Amino acid sequence: MERSGFGSSMTVAVAVLVFAMMVMVPEVSATRWTVGSNMGWTTNVNYTMWAQDKHFYNGDWLYRNQMNVLEVNKTDFESCNSDHPLHNLTRGAGRDVVPLNVTRNYYFISGKGFCYGGMKLAVHVANPPPPPTAAPLNEKSGSSSSILKCQYVLSTVFAIGALWDAFVWFW
């Protein structure tokens, strides 16, 4: 029985590709906020109190389990005027997810008079804070040698993989 090295070579190639993609993918830290938490999007809830201790960042999402949600400007938000919405965010299923993908203030109300019962929310969306900076390297501490060791380890892993592939192919 003759074995072809194509399958194992393909496996190694796919493994290397997956590893490379995992290394290159940036960390994603977006949050999907359920408006009102366990209270949901309903009347007689103070959404200003709900939102005051939360930090909304560019890339986060707002989830509301309610229909008839409108994005309005600040003036219409304060007066509960739903006549000229910027966007009608209702998709029809009653489970609306709104991306917060621009750094600015967002104003949401529920139309048909429910805004007067408290169904409105204002959020400020900011850019995420920068990642923490690493401590400066002390050249005497030998930290640069650990980077060099990491390069050797990665090269060794790929060499072992290539040897394994050759072993399996000739077996």
Side-chain angles (χ1 to χ4, degrees), residues 5-20 157-169:
F6 177 73
S8 60
S9 296
M10 183 61 97
T11 302
V12 171
V14 168
V16 169
L17 180 64
V18 168
F19 176 76
V157 168
F158 283 121
I160 291 171
L163 289 172
W164 179 257
D165 183 47
F167 174 75
V168 170
W169 189 70

Side-chain angles (χ1 to χ4, degrees), residues 71-151:
E71 182 181 355
V72 296
N73 62 31
K74 185 177 181 179
T75 304
D76 288 344
F77 173 81
E78 291 170 349
S79 65
C80 287
N81 182 0
S82 61
D83 293 338
H84 307 288
L86 301 174
H87 298 100
N88 184 345
L89 302 171
T90 302
R91 305 289 188 264
R95 293 177 303 276
D96 300 318
V97 180
V98 179
L100 302 175
N101 53 11
V102 176
T103 303
R104 64 179 174 93
N105 291 319
Y106 288 83
Y107 302 97
F108 303 103
I109 65 171
S110 185
K112 300 184 181 178
F114 292 108
C115 176
Y116 295 108
M119 293 178 70
K120 63 183 190 175
L121 171 67
V123 297
H124 174 74
V125 176
N127 282 323
T133 58
L137 291 176
N138 183 357
E139 292 181 13
K140 295 178 183 177
S141 70
S143 296
S144 60
S145 65
S146 65
I147 295 171
L148 187 60
K149 288 177 187 176
C150 182
Q151 291 174 344

Side-chain angles (χ1 to χ4, degrees), residues 9 23 33 39 49 55-56 67 99 106 108 116 158 170-171:
S9 296
V23 169
W33 296 96
M39 298 171 289
M49 294 290 291
H55 299 281
F56 298 95
M67 297 172 69
Y106 288 83
F108 303 103
Y116 295 108
F158 283 121
F170 287 115
W171 178 260

